[in-house]
Amino acid sequence: MITYHPLESGNIYHVYNRGNNREDLFRSEDDFSLFMKLYAHHTDPIAVTYAFCLLPNHFHFLIAVREGPHRIEPSQAFSNLCNAYARRSNFQRQRCGALFQRPFGRRMVTSPTDIERLIVYIHRNPERHGLIHDYREWAYSSYHSISSPESSATTPSPLILAFGGEQRLRTAHLRAVEPGLDIQDFV
């Protein structure tokens, strides 16, 4: 069994989860929108979001946990997010029981190379899963924040700076996906 350590201030993490039994978490545009509103409410006080992607049955976030003290523990904020979304989703779908696999996955990311690879992996995930032909067309990704700094869901400046500029970030996304690059590299 995997032991998950609490999210700690000052660290960068890949945070992810999927639907229980791999069922869809997001079935409509309203579902994606609701999740992102709840995400902002629960996580903005405790984390800076560098990259994200929501897919029908799972999500990925790359975050930096803000320095404390926090009103709520960072790990609890993500748990509260999942619980709040599950309650609303279960009510709307007239279902009961766990919506998400528990607990949410998280992995501390320390290498600048891993951060860069993970950002590209997150943004290209819909393409990898065959949901879309061109990842740049996926609406539920922070890739669009590269050219839209007003995005409330992400903080693009650190993302762009981590890559040494917007053009380098775009170029990294256009390169062929590295052979053998797999989610197991990041969990």
Side-chain angles (χ1 to χ4, degrees), residues 13-18 26 35-36 39 49 51-55 58-63 118 121-123 125-126 128-129 140-142 183 186-187:
Y13 293 91
H14 175 210
V15 175
Y16 50 92
N17 207 342
R18 68 178 176 196
F26 314 110
F35 187 82
M36 289 310 295
Y39 178 83
T49 303
F52 75 87
C53 190
L54 306 181
L55 291 92
H58 69 284
F59 64 75
H60 296 275
F61 288 91
L62 180 64
I63 63 158
L118 185 54
Y121 177 86
I122 288 171
H123 288 156
N125 210 253
R128 179 179 177 271
H129 286 282
Y140 313 108
S141 162
S142 59
I183 187 61
F186 304 109
V187 293

PDB file of all heavy atoms in Angstrom, residues 13-18 26 35-36 39 49 51-55 58-63 118 121-123 125-126 128-129 140-142 183 186-187:
ATOM      1  N   TYR A  13       4.351  19.888  -6.122  1.00  0.00           N
ATOM      2  CA  TYR A  13       3.742  18.565  -6.176  1.00  0.00           C
ATOM      3  C   TYR A  13       2.958  18.351  -7.468  1.00  0.00           C
ATOM      4  O   TYR A  13       2.342  19.283  -7.994  1.00  0.00           O
ATOM      5  CB  TYR A  13       2.750  18.366  -5.023  1.00  0.00           C
ATOM      6  CG  TYR A  13       3.389  18.318  -3.664  1.00  0.00           C
ATOM      7  CD1 TYR A  13       3.554  19.471  -2.908  1.00  0.00           C
ATOM      8  CD2 TYR A  13       3.831  17.109  -3.130  1.00  0.00           C
ATOM      9  CE1 TYR A  13       4.133  19.430  -1.651  1.00  0.00           C
ATOM     10  CE2 TYR A  13       4.406  17.059  -1.872  1.00  0.00           C
ATOM     11  CZ  TYR A  13       4.561  18.213  -1.137  1.00  0.00           C
ATOM     12  OH  TYR A  13       5.140  18.172   0.106  1.00  0.00           O
ATOM     13  N   HIS A  14       2.969  17.108  -7.902  1.00  0.00           N
ATOM     14  CA  HIS A  14       2.022  16.623  -8.903  1.00  0.00           C
ATOM     15  C   HIS A  14       0.884  16.021  -8.099  1.00  0.00           C
ATOM     16  O   HIS A  14       1.094  15.089  -7.324  1.00  0.00           O
ATOM     17  CB  HIS A  14       2.699  15.562  -9.780  1.00  0.00           C
ATOM     18  CG  HIS A  14       1.787  14.919 -10.752  1.00  0.00           C
ATOM     19  ND1 HIS A  14       1.973  13.619 -11.182  1.00  0.00           N
ATOM     20  CD2 HIS A  14       0.688  15.364 -11.406  1.00  0.00           C
ATOM     21  CE1 HIS A  14       1.031  13.307 -12.056  1.00  0.00           C
ATOM     22  NE2 HIS A  14       0.241  14.350 -12.201  1.00  0.00           N
ATOM     23  N   VAL A  15      -0.315  16.580  -8.254  1.00  0.00           N
ATOM     24  CA  VAL A  15      -1.502  16.108  -7.549  1.00  0.00           C
ATOM     25  C   VAL A  15      -2.463  15.555  -8.588  1.00  0.00           C
ATOM     26  O   VAL A  15      -2.697  16.201  -9.615  1.00  0.00           O
ATOM     27  CB  VAL A  15      -2.165  17.254  -6.750  1.00  0.00           C
ATOM     28  CG1 VAL A  15      -3.467  16.797  -6.104  1.00  0.00           C
ATOM     29  CG2 VAL A  15      -1.208  17.804  -5.704  1.00  0.00           C
ATOM     30  N   TYR A  16      -3.020  14.381  -8.335  1.00  0.00           N
ATOM     31  CA  TYR A  16      -3.867  13.729  -9.333  1.00  0.00           C
ATOM     32  C   TYR A  16      -4.883  12.827  -8.644  1.00  0.00           C
ATOM     33  O   TYR A  16      -4.699  12.424  -7.497  1.00  0.00           O
ATOM     34  CB  TYR A  16      -3.011  12.903 -10.319  1.00  0.00           C
ATOM     35  CG  TYR A  16      -2.045  11.981  -9.613  1.00  0.00           C
ATOM     36  CD1 TYR A  16      -2.392  10.671  -9.314  1.00  0.00           C
ATOM     37  CD2 TYR A  16      -0.790  12.438  -9.208  1.00  0.00           C
ATOM     38  CE1 TYR A  16      -1.510   9.834  -8.645  1.00  0.00           C
ATOM     39  CE2 TYR A  16       0.094  11.613  -8.535  1.00  0.00           C
ATOM     40  CZ  TYR A  16      -0.279  10.314  -8.257  1.00  0.00           C
ATOM     41  OH  TYR A  16       0.587   9.487  -7.571  1.00  0.00           O
ATOM     42  N   ASN A  17      -5.944  12.541  -9.360  1.00  0.00           N
ATOM     43  CA  ASN A  17      -6.934  11.585  -8.883  1.00  0.00           C
ATOM     44  C   ASN A  17      -7.803  11.189 -10.063  1.00  0.00           C
ATOM     45  O   ASN A  17      -7.785  11.850 -11.100  1.00  0.00           O
ATOM     46  CB  ASN A  17      -7.796  12.155  -7.761  1.00  0.00           C
ATOM     47  CG  ASN A  17      -8.334  11.069  -6.838  1.00  0.00           C
ATOM     48  OD1 ASN A  17      -8.356   9.888  -7.173  1.00  0.00           O
ATOM     49  ND2 ASN A  17      -8.790  11.484  -5.663  1.00  0.00           N
ATOM     50  N   ARG A  18      -8.542  10.108  -9.891  1.00  0.00           N
ATOM     51  CA  ARG A  18      -9.453   9.666 -10.944  1.00  0.00           C
ATOM     52  C   ARG A  18     -10.732   9.157 -10.307  1.00  0.00           C
ATOM     53  O   ARG A  18     -10.818   8.949  -9.097  1.00  0.00           O
ATOM     54  CB  ARG A  18      -8.816   8.597 -11.817  1.00  0.00           C
ATOM     55  CG  ARG A  18      -8.567   7.289 -11.138  1.00  0.00           C
ATOM     56  CD  ARG A  18      -7.983   6.300 -12.119  1.00  0.00           C
ATOM     57  NE  ARG A  18      -7.655   5.063 -11.450  1.00  0.00           N
ATOM     58  CZ  ARG A  18      -6.876   4.139 -11.961  1.00  0.00           C
ATOM     59  NH1 ARG A  18      -6.342   4.324 -13.145  1.00  0.00           N
ATOM     60  NH2 ARG A  18      -6.627   3.042 -11.302  1.00  0.00           N
ATOM     61  N   PHE A  26     -16.370  14.065 -14.846  1.00  0.00           N
ATOM     62  CA  PHE A  26     -16.891  15.241 -15.534  1.00  0.00           C
ATOM     63  C   PHE A  26     -17.645  14.775 -16.774  1.00  0.00           C
ATOM     64  O   PHE A  26     -17.062  14.183 -17.675  1.00  0.00           O
ATOM     65  CB  PHE A  26     -15.748  16.172 -15.926  1.00  0.00           C
ATOM     66  CG  PHE A  26     -14.763  16.405 -14.808  1.00  0.00           C
ATOM     67  CD1 PHE A  26     -13.479  15.879 -14.868  1.00  0.00           C
ATOM     68  CD2 PHE A  26     -15.125  17.129 -13.686  1.00  0.00           C
ATOM     69  CE1 PHE A  26     -12.573  16.080 -13.841  1.00  0.00           C
ATOM     70  CE2 PHE A  26     -14.230  17.335 -12.646  1.00  0.00           C
ATOM     71  CZ  PHE A  26     -12.950  16.813 -12.723  1.00  0.00           C
ATOM     72  N   PHE A  35     -15.998  22.169 -11.065  1.00  0.00           N
ATOM     73  CA  PHE A  35     -14.793  21.666 -10.409  1.00  0.00           C
ATOM     74  C   PHE A  35     -13.735  22.761 -10.309  1.00  0.00           C
ATOM     75  O   PHE A  35     -13.109  22.933  -9.263  1.00  0.00           O
ATOM     76  CB  PHE A  35     -14.226  20.450 -11.143  1.00  0.00           C
ATOM     77  CG  PHE A  35     -13.090  19.804 -10.418  1.00  0.00           C
ATOM     78  CD1 PHE A  35     -13.332  18.914  -9.386  1.00  0.00           C
ATOM     79  CD2 PHE A  35     -11.778  20.100 -10.754  1.00  0.00           C
ATOM     80  CE1 PHE A  35     -12.270  18.326  -8.685  1.00  0.00           C
ATOM     81  CE2 PHE A  35     -10.717  19.522 -10.067  1.00  0.00           C
ATOM     82  CZ  PHE A  35     -10.966  18.629  -9.030  1.00  0.00           C
ATOM     83  N   MET A  36     -13.549  23.529 -11.377  1.00  0.00           N
ATOM     84  CA  MET A  36     -12.525  24.579 -11.346  1.00  0.00           C
ATOM     85  C   MET A  36     -12.904  25.709 -10.384  1.00  0.00           C
ATOM     86  O   MET A  36     -12.027  26.284  -9.738  1.00  0.00           O
ATOM     87  CB  MET A  36     -12.251  25.108 -12.747  1.00  0.00           C
ATOM     88  CG  MET A  36     -11.504  24.115 -13.628  1.00  0.00           C
ATOM     89  SD  MET A  36      -9.995  23.397 -12.882  1.00  0.00           S
ATOM     90  CE  MET A  36      -8.942  24.843 -12.714  1.00  0.00           C
ATOM     91  N   TYR A  39     -12.118  24.251  -7.111  1.00  0.00           N
ATOM     92  CA  TYR A  39     -10.655  24.180  -7.007  1.00  0.00           C
ATOM     93  C   TYR A  39     -10.104  25.532  -6.553  1.00  0.00           C
ATOM     94  O   TYR A  39      -9.311  25.598  -5.608  1.00  0.00           O
ATOM     95  CB  TYR A  39     -10.057  23.769  -8.355  1.00  0.00           C
ATOM     96  CG  TYR A  39      -8.551  23.730  -8.334  1.00  0.00           C
ATOM     97  CD1 TYR A  39      -7.879  22.615  -7.848  1.00  0.00           C
ATOM     98  CD2 TYR A  39      -7.797  24.819  -8.765  1.00  0.00           C
ATOM     99  CE1 TYR A  39      -6.489  22.580  -7.804  1.00  0.00           C
ATOM    100  CE2 TYR A  39      -6.414  24.793  -8.719  1.00  0.00           C
ATOM    101  CZ  TYR A  39      -5.770  23.678  -8.239  1.00  0.00           C
ATOM    102  OH  TYR A  39      -4.397  23.654  -8.184  1.00  0.00           O
ATOM    103  N   THR A  49      -0.929  27.343  -8.716  1.00  0.00           N
ATOM    104  CA  THR A  49      -1.100  26.305  -9.731  1.00  0.00           C
ATOM    105  C   THR A  49      -0.262  26.657 -10.945  1.00  0.00           C
ATOM    106  O   THR A  49      -0.456  27.703 -11.554  1.00  0.00           O
ATOM    107  CB  THR A  49      -2.581  26.166 -10.133  1.00  0.00           C
ATOM    108  OG1 THR A  49      -3.342  25.881  -8.961  1.00  0.00           O
ATOM    109  CG2 THR A  49      -2.773  25.058 -11.153  1.00  0.00           C
ATOM    110  N   ALA A  51       0.253  24.179 -13.577  1.00  0.00           N
ATOM    111  CA  ALA A  51      -0.327  23.487 -14.729  1.00  0.00           C
ATOM    112  C   ALA A  51      -1.457  22.593 -14.244  1.00  0.00           C
ATOM    113  O   ALA A  51      -1.430  22.109 -13.113  1.00  0.00           O
ATOM    114  CB  ALA A  51       0.731  22.645 -15.442  1.00  0.00           C
ATOM    115  N   PHE A  52      -2.451  22.405 -15.121  1.00  0.00           N
ATOM    116  CA  PHE A  52      -3.522  21.466 -14.807  1.00  0.00           C
ATOM    117  C   PHE A  52      -4.122  20.935 -16.090  1.00  0.00           C
ATOM    118  O   PHE A  52      -3.983  21.524 -17.167  1.00  0.00           O
ATOM    119  CB  PHE A  52      -4.620  22.114 -13.953  1.00  0.00           C
ATOM    120  CG  PHE A  52      -5.534  23.043 -14.705  1.00  0.00           C
ATOM    121  CD1 PHE A  52      -6.660  22.552 -15.347  1.00  0.00           C
ATOM    122  CD2 PHE A  52      -5.260  24.391 -14.778  1.00  0.00           C
ATOM    123  CE1 PHE A  52      -7.508  23.404 -16.046  1.00  0.00           C
ATOM    124  CE2 PHE A  52      -6.087  25.250 -15.478  1.00  0.00           C
ATOM    125  CZ  PHE A  52      -7.217  24.757 -16.117  1.00  0.00           C
ATOM    126  N   CYS A  53      -4.799  19.821 -15.952  1.00  0.00           N
ATOM    127  CA  CYS A  53      -5.607  19.269 -17.030  1.00  0.00           C
ATOM    128  C   CYS A  53      -6.703  18.415 -16.403  1.00  0.00           C
ATOM    129  O   CYS A  53      -6.422  17.570 -15.556  1.00  0.00           O
ATOM    130  CB  CYS A  53      -4.767  18.434 -17.992  1.00  0.00           C
ATOM    131  SG  CYS A  53      -5.665  17.990 -19.487  1.00  0.00           S
ATOM    132  N   LEU A  54      -7.933  18.682 -16.816  1.00  0.00           N
ATOM    133  CA  LEU A  54      -9.072  17.877 -16.392  1.00  0.00           C
ATOM    134  C   LEU A  54      -9.491  17.022 -17.572  1.00  0.00           C
ATOM    135  O   LEU A  54      -9.700  17.534 -18.670  1.00  0.00           O
ATOM    136  CB  LEU A  54     -10.253  18.759 -15.988  1.00  0.00           C
ATOM    137  CG  LEU A  54     -10.017  19.840 -14.937  1.00  0.00           C
ATOM    138  CD1 LEU A  54     -11.323  20.585 -14.656  1.00  0.00           C
ATOM    139  CD2 LEU A  54      -9.463  19.253 -13.662  1.00  0.00           C
ATOM    140  N   LEU A  55      -9.599  15.730 -17.351  1.00  0.00           N
ATOM    141  CA  LEU A  55     -10.086  14.797 -18.362  1.00  0.00           C
ATOM    142  C   LEU A  55     -11.368  14.186 -17.822  1.00  0.00           C
ATOM    143  O   LEU A  55     -11.650  14.304 -16.630  1.00  0.00           O
ATOM    144  CB  LEU A  55      -9.028  13.733 -18.648  1.00  0.00           C
ATOM    145  CG  LEU A  55      -7.802  14.318 -19.358  1.00  0.00           C
ATOM    146  CD1 LEU A  55      -6.754  14.727 -18.352  1.00  0.00           C
ATOM    147  CD2 LEU A  55      -7.241  13.343 -20.345  1.00  0.00           C
ATOM    148  N   HIS A  58     -10.318  11.721 -14.891  1.00  0.00           N
ATOM    149  CA  HIS A  58      -9.236  12.030 -13.956  1.00  0.00           C
ATOM    150  C   HIS A  58      -8.730  13.453 -14.139  1.00  0.00           C
ATOM    151  O   HIS A  58      -9.148  14.149 -15.059  1.00  0.00           O
ATOM    152  CB  HIS A  58      -8.092  11.017 -14.069  1.00  0.00           C
ATOM    153  CG  HIS A  58      -7.313  11.070 -15.342  1.00  0.00           C
ATOM    154  ND1 HIS A  58      -7.771  10.570 -16.535  1.00  0.00           N
ATOM    155  CD2 HIS A  58      -6.069  11.546 -15.599  1.00  0.00           C
ATOM    156  CE1 HIS A  58      -6.855  10.718 -17.475  1.00  0.00           C
ATOM    157  NE2 HIS A  58      -5.811  11.325 -16.931  1.00  0.00           N
ATOM    158  N   PHE A  59      -7.866  13.869 -13.208  1.00  0.00           N
ATOM    159  CA  PHE A  59      -7.270  15.197 -13.309  1.00  0.00           C
ATOM    160  C   PHE A  59      -5.810  15.155 -12.883  1.00  0.00           C
ATOM    161  O   PHE A  59      -5.370  14.235 -12.185  1.00  0.00           O
ATOM    162  CB  PHE A  59      -8.036  16.240 -12.480  1.00  0.00           C
ATOM    163  CG  PHE A  59      -8.045  16.010 -10.990  1.00  0.00           C
ATOM    164  CD1 PHE A  59      -6.931  16.272 -10.201  1.00  0.00           C
ATOM    165  CD2 PHE A  59      -9.195  15.550 -10.360  1.00  0.00           C
ATOM    166  CE1 PHE A  59      -6.946  16.073  -8.830  1.00  0.00           C
ATOM    167  CE2 PHE A  59      -9.226  15.350  -8.981  1.00  0.00           C
ATOM    168  CZ  PHE A  59      -8.102  15.615  -8.221  1.00  0.00           C
ATOM    169  N   HIS A  60      -5.066  16.175 -13.334  1.00  0.00           N
ATOM    170  CA  HIS A  60      -3.669  16.383 -12.951  1.00  0.00           C
ATOM    171  C   HIS A  60      -3.481  17.862 -12.627  1.00  0.00           C
ATOM    172  O   HIS A  60      -3.994  18.725 -13.356  1.00  0.00           O
ATOM    173  CB  HIS A  60      -2.708  16.062 -14.103  1.00  0.00           C
ATOM    174  CG  HIS A  60      -2.711  14.648 -14.541  1.00  0.00           C
ATOM    175  ND1 HIS A  60      -1.942  13.686 -13.930  1.00  0.00           N
ATOM    176  CD2 HIS A  60      -3.384  14.021 -15.532  1.00  0.00           C
ATOM    177  CE1 HIS A  60      -2.133  12.530 -14.540  1.00  0.00           C
ATOM    178  NE2 HIS A  60      -3.007  12.704 -15.511  1.00  0.00           N
ATOM    179  N   PHE A  61      -2.731  18.134 -11.564  1.00  0.00           N
ATOM    180  CA  PHE A  61      -2.334  19.501 -11.221  1.00  0.00           C
ATOM    181  C   PHE A  61      -0.857  19.489 -10.866  1.00  0.00           C
ATOM    182  O   PHE A  61      -0.376  18.536 -10.233  1.00  0.00           O
ATOM    183  CB  PHE A  61      -3.117  20.022 -10.007  1.00  0.00           C
ATOM    184  CG  PHE A  61      -4.553  20.337 -10.300  1.00  0.00           C
ATOM    185  CD1 PHE A  61      -5.532  19.375 -10.125  1.00  0.00           C
ATOM    186  CD2 PHE A  61      -4.918  21.591 -10.755  1.00  0.00           C
ATOM    187  CE1 PHE A  61      -6.861  19.654 -10.400  1.00  0.00           C
ATOM    188  CE2 PHE A  61      -6.245  21.880 -11.035  1.00  0.00           C
ATOM    189  CZ  PHE A  61      -7.217  20.902 -10.858  1.00  0.00           C
ATOM    190  N   LEU A  62      -0.155  20.541 -11.228  1.00  0.00           N
ATOM    191  CA  LEU A  62       1.201  20.777 -10.752  1.00  0.00           C
ATOM    192  C   LEU A  62       1.110  22.046  -9.924  1.00  0.00           C
ATOM    193  O   LEU A  62       0.745  23.109 -10.448  1.00  0.00           O
ATOM    194  CB  LEU A  62       2.186  20.953 -11.907  1.00  0.00           C
ATOM    195  CG  LEU A  62       3.632  21.207 -11.484  1.00  0.00           C
ATOM    196  CD1 LEU A  62       4.201  20.004 -10.726  1.00  0.00           C
ATOM    197  CD2 LEU A  62       4.496  21.535 -12.684  1.00  0.00           C
ATOM    198  N   ILE A  63       1.395  21.922  -8.644  1.00  0.00           N
ATOM    199  CA  ILE A  63       1.211  23.040  -7.721  1.00  0.00           C
ATOM    200  C   ILE A  63       2.477  23.285  -6.898  1.00  0.00           C
ATOM    201  O   ILE A  63       3.292  22.386  -6.715  1.00  0.00           O
ATOM    202  CB  ILE A  63       0.038  22.786  -6.748  1.00  0.00           C
ATOM    203  CG1 ILE A  63       0.340  21.560  -5.855  1.00  0.00           C
ATOM    204  CG2 ILE A  63      -1.274  22.622  -7.499  1.00  0.00           C
ATOM    205  CD1 ILE A  63      -0.425  21.521  -4.562  1.00  0.00           C
ATOM    206  N   LEU A 118       6.852  17.135 -16.675  1.00  0.00           N
ATOM    207  CA  LEU A 118       5.521  16.950 -16.114  1.00  0.00           C
ATOM    208  C   LEU A 118       4.532  17.968 -16.675  1.00  0.00           C
ATOM    209  O   LEU A 118       3.385  17.623 -16.979  1.00  0.00           O
ATOM    210  CB  LEU A 118       5.580  17.034 -14.591  1.00  0.00           C
ATOM    211  CG  LEU A 118       4.293  16.742 -13.835  1.00  0.00           C
ATOM    212  CD1 LEU A 118       3.709  15.392 -14.233  1.00  0.00           C
ATOM    213  CD2 LEU A 118       4.552  16.776 -12.341  1.00  0.00           C
ATOM    214  N   TYR A 121       3.675  16.728 -20.021  1.00  0.00           N
ATOM    215  CA  TYR A 121       2.859  15.522 -19.859  1.00  0.00           C
ATOM    216  C   TYR A 121       1.414  15.892 -19.505  1.00  0.00           C
ATOM    217  O   TYR A 121       0.456  15.356 -20.079  1.00  0.00           O
ATOM    218  CB  TYR A 121       3.454  14.617 -18.775  1.00  0.00           C
ATOM    219  CG  TYR A 121       2.608  13.403 -18.514  1.00  0.00           C
ATOM    220  CD1 TYR A 121       2.759  12.249 -19.279  1.00  0.00           C
ATOM    221  CD2 TYR A 121       1.631  13.410 -17.529  1.00  0.00           C
ATOM    222  CE1 TYR A 121       1.961  11.134 -19.056  1.00  0.00           C
ATOM    223  CE2 TYR A 121       0.834  12.310 -17.303  1.00  0.00           C
ATOM    224  CZ  TYR A 121       0.999  11.174 -18.069  1.00  0.00           C
ATOM    225  OH  TYR A 121       0.199  10.090 -17.850  1.00  0.00           O
ATOM    226  N   ILE A 122       1.244  16.795 -18.562  1.00  0.00           N
ATOM    227  CA  ILE A 122      -0.088  17.205 -18.126  1.00  0.00           C
ATOM    228  C   ILE A 122      -0.862  17.809 -19.297  1.00  0.00           C
ATOM    229  O   ILE A 122      -2.005  17.434 -19.558  1.00  0.00           O
ATOM    230  CB  ILE A 122      -0.005  18.183 -16.930  1.00  0.00           C
ATOM    231  CG1 ILE A 122       0.419  17.430 -15.665  1.00  0.00           C
ATOM    232  CG2 ILE A 122      -1.322  18.917 -16.721  1.00  0.00           C
ATOM    233  CD1 ILE A 122       0.738  18.324 -14.476  1.00  0.00           C
ATOM    234  N   HIS A 123      -0.231  18.733 -19.999  1.00  0.00           N
ATOM    235  CA  HIS A 123      -0.939  19.405 -21.095  1.00  0.00           C
ATOM    236  C   HIS A 123      -1.243  18.475 -22.269  1.00  0.00           C
ATOM    237  O   HIS A 123      -2.268  18.623 -22.934  1.00  0.00           O
ATOM    238  CB  HIS A 123      -0.124  20.601 -21.589  1.00  0.00           C
ATOM    239  CG  HIS A 123      -0.122  21.725 -20.618  1.00  0.00           C
ATOM    240  ND1 HIS A 123       0.870  22.673 -20.591  1.00  0.00           N
ATOM    241  CD2 HIS A 123      -0.989  22.065 -19.624  1.00  0.00           C
ATOM    242  CE1 HIS A 123       0.613  23.548 -19.623  1.00  0.00           C
ATOM    243  NE2 HIS A 123      -0.497  23.196 -19.023  1.00  0.00           N
ATOM    244  N   ASN A 125      -1.867  15.279 -22.048  1.00  0.00           N
ATOM    245  CA  ASN A 125      -2.597  14.113 -21.575  1.00  0.00           C
ATOM    246  C   ASN A 125      -3.871  13.799 -22.366  1.00  0.00           C
ATOM    247  O   ASN A 125      -4.132  12.635 -22.651  1.00  0.00           O
ATOM    248  CB  ASN A 125      -2.882  14.270 -20.078  1.00  0.00           C
ATOM    249  CG  ASN A 125      -2.960  12.955 -19.366  1.00  0.00           C
ATOM    250  OD1 ASN A 125      -4.040  12.516 -18.997  1.00  0.00           O
ATOM    251  ND2 ASN A 125      -1.809  12.322 -19.159  1.00  0.00           N
ATOM    252  N   PRO A 126      -4.679  14.785 -22.752  1.00  0.00           N
ATOM    253  CA  PRO A 126      -5.891  14.456 -23.527  1.00  0.00           C
ATOM    254  C   PRO A 126      -5.560  13.798 -24.871  1.00  0.00           C
ATOM    255  O   PRO A 126      -6.269  12.898 -25.318  1.00  0.00           O
ATOM    256  CB  PRO A 126      -6.572  15.810 -23.750  1.00  0.00           C
ATOM    257  CG  PRO A 126      -5.986  16.715 -22.743  1.00  0.00           C
ATOM    258  CD  PRO A 126      -4.613  16.203 -22.434  1.00  0.00           C
ATOM    259  N   ARG A 128      -2.822  11.995 -25.411  1.00  0.00           N
ATOM    260  CA  ARG A 128      -2.302  10.673 -25.053  1.00  0.00           C
ATOM    261  C   ARG A 128      -3.428   9.660 -24.851  1.00  0.00           C
ATOM    262  O   ARG A 128      -3.296   8.488 -25.168  1.00  0.00           O
ATOM    263  CB  ARG A 128      -1.456  10.793 -23.790  1.00  0.00           C
ATOM    264  CG  ARG A 128      -0.864   9.495 -23.293  1.00  0.00           C
ATOM    265  CD  ARG A 128      -0.017   9.754 -22.034  1.00  0.00           C
ATOM    266  NE  ARG A 128       0.502   8.525 -21.519  1.00  0.00           N
ATOM    267  CZ  ARG A 128      -0.129   7.753 -20.636  1.00  0.00           C
ATOM    268  NH1 ARG A 128      -1.309   8.107 -20.173  1.00  0.00           N
ATOM    269  NH2 ARG A 128       0.418   6.637 -20.206  1.00  0.00           N
ATOM    270  N   HIS A 129      -4.547  10.134 -24.312  1.00  0.00           N
ATOM    271  CA  HIS A 129      -5.680   9.250 -24.043  1.00  0.00           C
ATOM    272  C   HIS A 129      -6.652   9.160 -25.222  1.00  0.00           C
ATOM    273  O   HIS A 129      -7.723   8.564 -25.094  1.00  0.00           O
ATOM    274  CB  HIS A 129      -6.424   9.705 -22.785  1.00  0.00           C
ATOM    275  CG  HIS A 129      -5.679   9.394 -21.531  1.00  0.00           C
ATOM    276  ND1 HIS A 129      -5.638   8.132 -20.973  1.00  0.00           N
ATOM    277  CD2 HIS A 129      -4.908  10.177 -20.731  1.00  0.00           C
ATOM    278  CE1 HIS A 129      -4.893   8.154 -19.883  1.00  0.00           C
ATOM    279  NE2 HIS A 129      -4.436   9.377 -19.715  1.00  0.00           N
ATOM    280  N   TYR A 140      -9.976  22.167 -21.246  1.00  0.00           N
ATOM    281  CA  TYR A 140      -9.875  22.048 -19.790  1.00  0.00           C
ATOM    282  C   TYR A 140      -8.429  21.831 -19.349  1.00  0.00           C
ATOM    283  O   TYR A 140      -8.123  20.919 -18.595  1.00  0.00           O
ATOM    284  CB  TYR A 140     -10.790  20.926 -19.309  1.00  0.00           C
ATOM    285  CG  TYR A 140     -12.158  21.044 -19.930  1.00  0.00           C
ATOM    286  CD1 TYR A 140     -12.575  20.153 -20.916  1.00  0.00           C
ATOM    287  CD2 TYR A 140     -13.005  22.085 -19.577  1.00  0.00           C
ATOM    288  CE1 TYR A 140     -13.819  20.288 -21.511  1.00  0.00           C
ATOM    289  CE2 TYR A 140     -14.247  22.230 -20.165  1.00  0.00           C
ATOM    290  CZ  TYR A 140     -14.640  21.333 -21.134  1.00  0.00           C
ATOM    291  OH  TYR A 140     -15.864  21.469 -21.738  1.00  0.00           O
ATOM    292  N   SER A 141      -7.564  22.704 -19.833  1.00  0.00           N
ATOM    293  CA  SER A 141      -6.133  22.603 -19.590  1.00  0.00           C
ATOM    294  C   SER A 141      -5.557  23.988 -19.371  1.00  0.00           C
ATOM    295  O   SER A 141      -6.053  24.975 -19.928  1.00  0.00           O
ATOM    296  CB  SER A 141      -5.472  21.943 -20.815  1.00  0.00           C
ATOM    297  OG  SER A 141      -4.089  22.168 -20.836  1.00  0.00           O
ATOM    298  N   SER A 142      -4.493  24.059 -18.607  1.00  0.00           N
ATOM    299  CA  SER A 142      -3.832  25.341 -18.387  1.00  0.00           C
ATOM    300  C   SER A 142      -2.925  25.732 -19.546  1.00  0.00           C
ATOM    301  O   SER A 142      -2.340  26.801 -19.530  1.00  0.00           O
ATOM    302  CB  SER A 142      -3.018  25.299 -17.095  1.00  0.00           C
ATOM    303  OG  SER A 142      -2.043  24.271 -17.152  1.00  0.00           O
ATOM    304  N   ILE A 183       3.021   7.966 -16.971  1.00  0.00           N
ATOM    305  CA  ILE A 183       2.606   8.511 -15.693  1.00  0.00           C
ATOM    306  C   ILE A 183       3.419   7.928 -14.538  1.00  0.00           C
ATOM    307  O   ILE A 183       3.666   8.597 -13.544  1.00  0.00           O
ATOM    308  CB  ILE A 183       1.085   8.312 -15.454  1.00  0.00           C
ATOM    309  CG1 ILE A 183       0.623   9.039 -14.185  1.00  0.00           C
ATOM    310  CG2 ILE A 183       0.733   6.846 -15.354  1.00  0.00           C
ATOM    311  CD1 ILE A 183       0.812  10.503 -14.212  1.00  0.00           C
ATOM    312  N   PHE A 186       5.986   9.899 -12.832  1.00  0.00           N
ATOM    313  CA  PHE A 186       5.625  11.030 -12.008  1.00  0.00           C
ATOM    314  C   PHE A 186       4.817  10.675 -10.758  1.00  0.00           C
ATOM    315  O   PHE A 186       4.325  11.545 -10.082  1.00  0.00           O
ATOM    316  CB  PHE A 186       4.835  12.048 -12.839  1.00  0.00           C
ATOM    317  CG  PHE A 186       5.590  12.483 -14.058  1.00  0.00           C
ATOM    318  CD1 PHE A 186       5.195  12.093 -15.314  1.00  0.00           C
ATOM    319  CD2 PHE A 186       6.738  13.250 -13.938  1.00  0.00           C
ATOM    320  CE1 PHE A 186       5.888  12.493 -16.433  1.00  0.00           C
ATOM    321  CE2 PHE A 186       7.450  13.648 -15.045  1.00  0.00           C
ATOM    322  CZ  PHE A 186       7.035  13.268 -16.296  1.00  0.00           C
ATOM    323  N   VAL A 187       4.647   9.389 -10.491  1.00  0.00           N
ATOM    324  CA  VAL A 187       3.882   9.002  -9.290  1.00  0.00           C
ATOM    325  C   VAL A 187       4.753   8.173  -8.376  1.00  0.00           C
ATOM    326  O   VAL A 187       5.788   7.706  -8.740  1.00  0.00           O
ATOM    327  CB  VAL A 187       2.584   8.233  -9.636  1.00  0.00           C
ATOM    328  CG1 VAL A 187       1.636   9.151 -10.342  1.00  0.00           C
ATOM    329  CG2 VAL A 187       2.851   6.976 -10.414  1.00  0.00           C
TER     330      VAL A 187
END
